Structures are given as C-alpha cells and as structure tokens.
Amino acid sequence: MKTVSLALRNLLRKPGRTAALAALTALLAFSVFGGSIVVRSLRHGLDSLESRLGADIIVVPSSAQSKVSFQNMLLQGTTGAFYMDAANLDRVREVDGVALASPQLFLASLKADCCSVKIQVIGFDPETDFFIRPWMEESVSRELGELDVVVGCKVEAEVGEIIRIYDERCKVIGRLAATGTGLDTAVYCNMDTMKTLLQAAEAKGVSHKVSSGDSDEQVSAIYVKVREGCDIGEVNSKIQGHTRKASAVRTKSMLTDVSDSLAGISSTVTLLIAAVWVLALVILLIAFVMIANERKREFAVLRLIGMSRGMLSGMILKESALCSLAGGLIGILLAALAVFPFTTLIETSLGLPYLRPETGVIVTTGLLALAAAVGIGSLAASWAAFRLSRVDPGTVLREGN
Amino acid sequence: MMLRAEQISKQYFRRTGGANYFHAVKPVSLELQPGTVTVLCGRSGSGKTTLLHMLSGLLRPTEGRVLLGETDLYALSDRELSQLRNRFIGVVPQGRSVLDTLTVEENILLPGTLYAAPDRREAAARWMARLNIEALAQARASELSGGELRRTAIARTMCAAPDVILADEPTGDLDDENTALVFACFREAAAQGAAVFIVSHESDALQIADRAFRMDAGEMNPL
Ligand SMILES: Nc1ncnc2c1ncn2[C@@H]1O[C@H](COP(=O)(O)OP(=O)(O)OP(=O)(O)O)[C@@H](O)[C@H]1O
Ligand SMILES: [Mg+2]
C-alpha cells in the first residue's frame, strides 16, 4: 500500500468529509468555468458580429426608430422594415473615399396564413454584396436563383424545404453557419426575389413605399466599405451630407453599446467569481484546520509507525489533490450542464450576441478551471500539511489519554 | 540490537510552583538488552510516558543521548529516524492508536507497507489468532471495543517483529485473561531476541520482568 492508496482509502472511507471538501472545489470550478464560458461566449458573439458586419459605415433611413430597429435586428433578431429612396445608393457611391457600397432590402414576414414563419427577410445584391456572400460561401455552393432563399442557422426550415412568404413559395437551398447574432434568425435572398416578395406583400396590404422619392425604388440599408487609407469619420460625414433622409452610422459606434454592456457583464461576472473564490478559500482553510485537528491523533500514529514528515505531507497533499480533482471535474460538468443547454435563455435574457466558443477554447478553459481548483485545494492542503507535519507526535499521543 | 539511554532527561516549562521549569524525567541511564523484559512502574504523572517517548525517538530529550546499537537516534534526520523506527522499534502507545479508516488487518499490516518489506500477511494472521482478534480481521476500528483496539495495536507492533518493543500501559483496557495472553506474547518476543520495555502503573507486569524499575516524580530507581 503506497501512500496513494492510503490516501484513497482515507477519502473513500470518510465519504461525508470527502464530499464536503469536493463540494467546495466543485463550487470553485463551477463558478470559474461557468462564468468564463458565459463571458467568452459574449465576447465571441461580439467578435463574430464585428467580423460579420465587415462594413465601415451603414446607411439607414433617418427616421428615429430605424437605427434602433436595425440594431435590434442585428443583436436580438427582432424583425424590422424601413425604407429610403434607392437614389441614395448612387449618392453614396459618388462620395470620395467610398470603395464599395451595397444595398439591402428588408421585409418582415407575418405570423399569418400567408407565411410559414414570422421572420426577417433580407434581400441583398449579389453583384455588389461584400457582406452576405463571403459568409454564404462557407455553406452554400450555388448562386441564388429566383425564389431561392438561404436561412440563418436558427430558422426552423430544412434545406430543400419550401417556405411560404406572403404566399410566395421559396425554396431553401442552404443554411448558414451560426453567428450568435440576430442574423441567425433571418432569411436571405437576392434583390429580384425580394422585389417579388415586396409586391406579394403589397398585394396583402403591407405597404413598403416611401412617401416621396426620386424613384420608385427603395433600399433599407446601404453597407459601405471605405477605401484603404481614407478616414472613416470623414467619409461618414460626407455621406451624411450627400444623402437624403438617411443617416450614416459608423459600425464601430453601433457596436460600442454592445461592447459597453459586454464589459459591464464581464466585470460583474468576474466580481462574482472573485467573491465565490474568496469565500470558498476561507471555508476551505477553516475546513482544513478543523480536519487537521480532528485527525491529529491519526497523523501522530502514522508518524509513530514510521512515516516521515515528508511522507505524511505527501499523503495529505495526495488526498487533497484527488479530492479536489474529483470536485473540480464535477463542478465543470455541472457548469457545462448549466451553461450549454440554456444558451438561448442566456442569450435572450442578456439581449446580446452570444456564440459558444470553439471546442478548443472550451477545453482549455475547462483545464484551466480544473487546474485552478486543484491548485487552490492543494494550496490550502499544503498549509495544513505543513502545520501538521510540525506537530510533535509524542505530545499528541500523550494528550489523548 | 540494544537500546541504550545515556543520562537522558526532559524538562518542561511550568509557571505554577516555585521554579519556572521542572523535570518530567530526571537524568537517567538505561539499557534495554535483547532477550530481556524490562518493566517500569510508577504513579500517574511520574514521567513514564515521557521516558518511553524519548526512548522511541518521538521526543527529543533535553539532555542526553539515545542509542540503538551504535546509532544516535536524535542525530538522525527525520527521514532516517522514521525509517529506523519503522524497521527496528515497535511502540504500543497509551490510548487509542488504531486508525478508524482501516480494518483491523489493514491496521496491523500498515507499518509493513510504508517502506519496502516482505509480505507480512501470514504473520498478521498468526498474531491476530494469538490475541483472539482473528474474527475481527475485516472489522473497522470504529466497531471495536477498547480491549480489542488495544490488542490490535499490540498485534500491529508484534507483526513487524521489531528489535525493540516499547509498550505504554499495554494491558490497561484488558481483563485478566487477555492480560496474561499479552504478557505471554511479550515474553515470547523476548525469547526470540527482542528487547521489551513495558510501562505500567499496576504491578502485574512485574511477574514477567527480568528487570524492574520504579518512577517517582521523574526519578527512576531499580525495584
Ligand atoms: N508537553 C508537556 N508540557 C508540559 N508538561 C508536560 C508535557 N508532557 C508531560 N508533561 C508533564 O510531565 C509529567 C509526566 O507526564 P507523563 O505523561 O510522562 O506521566 P505518566 O507517568 O505517563 O502518567 P500516566 O501514568 O498518567 O500516563 C506530568 O506531570 C505532565 O503533566
Ligand atoms: Mg503515561
């Protein structure tokens, strides 16, 4: 029987004590793993949104609610429809410093007989688009034809299925990868399909005309990429001055709100984790002192029969390492069970983009959490071990009489 | 091997009384010869346990040396002393010394598992039978009576076949029959060459003594 098996026996044969200690480490691992995963998912969601948007400036109609509704559409996947004169597209293209400008048209389907699902429909222009296409190329191989649509990963429609939008039968030809943003709940089509859908909606009494405009054509948003080397702020104000009834928004400033609330949530979570850790560490130390007292005689007997101070410390450390390893694994498992199945719940209650990090990141976070839990357990134990190995066995054995 | 104490004493600090410190054990020399049983009697608090702990390497004397053969116990490192005690010195301490988390058999085998040593299961079975605890081999210590615990501790010491056996009130919890049994075991160990030292505040141990001493307020005198 090496000291490992003695340690293991000590743990298994005092299940209550072992469970209490393991529960403490489980709490440590749970808080740090669960908390980090939530924060990392939020950060990943924001990163994904940032890289997805890929535009420096977005031009939307200047009506008060259009910017908010656009933001909600991106962040929370609520539906929105707002329009401006399509002439604005040419005006944007005329502005010096604009490298690319691509229009999008929005339509909200209804939760009514004519539509399979209530959903945001986004029409884009395949010729000029630099926003949807790179993303689409990851998962859809062919071009979008008339009445072809591609769905976001959260839309309940299978590839090959027909979905009805204002009684038009659209064929789902692809499904996009998750972004963790509102873009996941939208349906994408080209401009021709969109115009057909708009007319169909018109026929159902859902109007999309702008009251006064130079042309009959409308767009909902214009995505702008600024030429390399040009100042985005400058181009932004030029566009602002050059367009009508439209406002140009810098993508960065739109995301600032998101990253601000993300920073707020991050620090709250970090604070919570820190509080849990301080508390658990204090309890852990108290627990070790109590256990050390309770086991003083046991350790004195081990010294009596020939265990050296080093062997005794080793045994105590092994016990605590085994115990906190088990506790840490349990804590991480519980955190995974708490965080992963409730992704949607967390996402909607926070109202922020939320995207599960890559498996590698999750595994690394898990290992770090485990290492931290075992480390802190061993730290508390080594302090106890140090104190105990200094205790004079003769005195302890005499005291017990 | 012979265990020899050279003028060992133990002083403790104590506030009450005239002096600030007192001798729990006054300077004493003692030789424990292989094959002999030495018995130390004395009243409670006279310093018997203190002396026994100093002899076992568990308590450093204030002055003097303890030698096992030619080795000065207190000149060794903790590692060396621990291993030496495991190998050569068997201590039956006063009070409880059986581990709750282990069975009786595991307790008895425990010293043999700390360092490389031949398998002792046969010896363990023999000593359990000798001490009438073989039926309890798989019982946990928490289920045992005081007398059964005492005999387990004695079996643990005997099983390791040490050169020196130091027993502190080994029959304190035992009835007459078991007391006789335990004394017979110690005699047998001595017959096989062990140096046996028994501390007792009762005089029944004297019947198996080759040499006997009496402790009085830290002072040891031949009886
Ligand atoms: N660590 C210590 N600090 C102070 N005094 C001590 C210490 N250890 C022992 N003593 C004192 O030394 C004296 C001898 O104690 P010891 O335990 O050796 O007695 P004993 O003869 O074994 O008694 P008993 O028969 O009751 O076991 C006692 O008066 C005790 O109070
Ligand atoms: Mg005593």
Side-chain angles (χ1 to χ4, degrees):
Chain A
M1 185 165 45
K2 295 271 146 47
T3 52
V4 176
S5 78
L6 185 58
L8 202 60
R9 243 184 275 198
N10 288 340
L11 289 176
L12 294 178
R13 294 191 183 167
K14 288 279 181 196
R17 184 173 73 198
T18 308
L21 283 180
L24 273 173
T25 13
L27 180 68
L28 291 175
F30 180 94
S31 62
V32 74
F33 181 69
S36 316
I37 289 297
V38 168
V39 169
R40 275 172 185 280
S41 297
L42 289 169
R43 196 154 293 152
H44 195 209
L46 179 66
D47 287 349
S48 150
L49 182 62
E50 235 161 21
S51 71
R52 254 337 135 204
L53 280 179
D56 301 314
I57 296 165
I58 296 169
V59 185
V60 292
S62 54
S63 64
Q65 77 283 34
S66 64
K67 190 186 156 196
V68 175
S69 111
F70 181 71
Q71 211 163 352
N72 288 344
M73 206 179 95
L74 286 180
L75 300 183
Q76 288 155 17
T78 52
T79 56
F82 38 81
Y83 303 92
M84 59 186 168
D85 192 343
N88 276 329
L89 179 59
D90 292 327
R91 296 200 191 99
V92 169
R93 285 185 175 138
E94 283 161 15
V95 171
D96 186 38
V98 171
L100 295 169
S102 181
Q104 284 190 357
L105 257 172
F106 300 149
L107 172 66
S109 78
L110 299 176
K111 194 163 187 62
D113 272 357
C114 61
C115 309
S116 321
V117 274
K118 176 170 165 60
I119 214 135
Q120 178 73 23
V121 188
I122 298 176
F124 64 97
D125 174 23
E127 306 282 302
T128 58
D129 174 75
F130 57 90
F131 169 58
I132 309 275
R133 278 174 65 111
W135 178 27
M136 198 170 279
E137 272 156 16
E138 293 165 15
S139 49
V140 187
S141 49
R142 71 177 170 93
E143 289 289 316
L144 287 176
E146 177 74 11
L147 289 181
D148 281 349
V149 296
V150 169
V151 296
C153 75
K154 284 196 190 147
V155 177
E156 283 174 34
E158 297 302 315
V159 174
E161 201 180 317
I162 302 287
I163 55 172
R164 280 181 312 114
I165 301 170
Y166 295 107
D167 275 342
E168 293 291 342
R169 298 175 167 274
C170 302
K171 187 164 158 213
V172 179
I173 66 156
R175 176 186 287 276
L176 297 168
T179 64
T181 67
L183 298 171
D184 289 342
T185 54
V187 165
Y188 303 84
C189 61
N190 65 24
M191 281 297 189
D192 292 336
T193 306
M194 187 46 127
K195 277 170 193 158
T196 314
L197 293 179
L198 281 174
Q199 271 160 21
E202 193 82 54
K204 298 274 172 206
V206 185
S207 176
H208 299 286
K209 290 270 186 257
V210 263
S211 43
S212 68
D214 295 349
S215 76
D216 276 354
E217 304 259 320
Q218 307 119 45
V219 290
S220 297
I222 301 167
Y223 287 70
V224 177
K225 196 154 206 122
V226 169
R227 191 160 0 98
E228 201 87 39
C230 289
D231 183 68
I232 299 173
E234 228 166 82
V235 177
N236 192 66
S237 27
K238 276 192 219 158
I239 293 175
Q240 191 70 54
H242 209 66
T243 51
R244 278 188 213 148
K245 292 191 175 164
S247 59
V249 188
R250 287 187 61 174
T251 318
K252 266 244 158 58
S253 76
M254 197 168 64
L255 293 180
T256 315
D257 294 354
V258 183
S259 50
D260 281 354
S261 29
L262 175 65
I265 291 173
S266 287
S267 44
T268 311
V269 170
T270 311
L271 219 69
L272 274 173
I273 295 176
V276 168
W277 274 63
V278 168
L279 197 74
L281 191 63
V282 169
I283 300 175
L284 211 59
L285 283 175
I286 294 173
F288 270 110
V289 171
M290 282 166 57
I291 290 169
N293 267 325
E294 183 195 304
R295 299 180 67 179
K296 233 161 58 182
R297 199 168 174 85
E298 176 189 341
F299 294 144
V301 169
L302 289 171
R303 298 274 285 125
L304 173 83
I305 63 167
M307 250 198 196
S308 66
R309 266 200 276 273
M311 289 165 79
L312 183 62
S313 306
M315 188 191 80
I316 297 170
L317 285 179
K318 276 171 205 153
E319 271 185 39
S320 98
L322 284 171
C323 181
S324 41
L325 195 68
L329 283 172
I330 291 170
I332 288 171
L333 200 74
L334 289 179
L337 286 177
V339 170
F340 296 130
F342 299 111
T343 297
T344 327
L345 187 72
I346 298 172
E347 185 176 355
T348 43
S349 62
L350 294 178
L352 287 173
Y354 189 93
L355 188 61
R356 182 200 286 205
E358 285 104 38
T359 318
V361 175
I362 295 177
V363 170
T364 317
T365 310
L367 288 178
L368 284 177
L370 193 63
V374 172
I376 209 87
S378 304
L379 203 71
S382 33
W383 177 72
F386 176 78
R387 283 184 33 146
L388 275 170
S389 63
R390 303 289 121 178
V391 169
D392 175 28
T395 309
V396 175
L397 287 170
R398 226 185 48 82
E399 275 170 1
N401 301 335
Chain B
M1 253 190 293
M2 183 171 73
L3 188 72
R4 198 166 83 239
E6 291 178 352
Q7 290 296 310
I8 55 169
S9 65
K10 189 72 189 178
Q11 283 187 334
Y12 283 115
F13 180 81
R14 188 177 272 169
R15 238 173 251 288
T16 52
N20 267 341
Y21 52 84
F22 77 107
H23 272 105
V25 172
K26 292 182 179 147
V28 59
S29 292
L30 178 68
E31 282 184 1
L32 302 179
Q33 303 279 5
T36 62
V37 175
T38 308
V39 171
L40 176 65
C41 300
R43 282 220 292 278
S44 180
S46 57
K48 306 182 298 295
T49 299
T50 307
L51 176 64
L52 184 133
H53 282 167
M54 287 193 290
L55 293 175
S56 66
L58 284 172
L59 185 68
R60 185 179 289 277
T62 311
E63 270 171 305
R65 299 196 301 167
V66 178
L67 300 151
L68 178 70
E70 294 306 311
T71 316
D72 181 350
L73 296 191
Y74 294 99
L76 297 176
S77 71
D78 176 63
R79 258 185 74 90
E80 293 163 336
L81 177 56
S82 296
Q83 189 161 4
L84 178 134
R85 188 165 48 238
N86 177 266
R87 176 71 192 82
F88 297 110
I89 305 176
V91 186
V92 182
Q94 202 172 359
R96 268 181 90 96
S97 70
V98 178
L99 302 189
D100 275 346
T101 45
L102 303 181
T103 65
V104 166
E105 191 185 22
E106 286 167 344
N107 263 290
I108 293 172
L109 291 172
L110 189 61
T113 62
L114 298 182
Y115 302 92
D119 188 76
R120 289 180 186 163
R121 261 174 292 191
E122 237 173 74
R126 208 170 58 242
W127 282 109
M128 283 191 284
R130 265 310 287 282
L131 290 160
N132 280 330
I133 48 171
E134 75 263 49
L136 299 170
Q138 301 311 320
R140 291 277 201 91
S142 48
E143 301 160 7
L144 304 187
S145 76
E148 288 162 346
L149 287 171
R150 170 73 40 203
R151 278 176 286 152
T152 303
I154 292 167
R156 180 180 63 201
T157 301
M158 302 307 259
C159 181
D163 286 15
V164 179
I165 294 172
L166 305 170
D168 199 348
E169 314 274 3
T171 58
D173 311 301
L174 300 180
D175 54 48
D176 291 349
E177 199 179 317
N178 279 309
T179 299
L181 197 63
V182 166
F183 283 157
C185 289
F186 284 139
R187 260 292 25 135
E188 188 185 313
Q192 282 164 12
V196 181
F197 181 68
I198 301 172
V199 160
S200 177
H201 56 249
E202 289 158 59
S203 49
D204 24 347
L206 294 173
Q207 65 202 40
I208 58 158
D210 296 314
R211 288 199 302 161
F213 295 90
R214 181 166 185 83
M215 195 99 175
D216 247 317
E219 208 172 310
M220 198 178 88
N221 292 302
L223 200 75

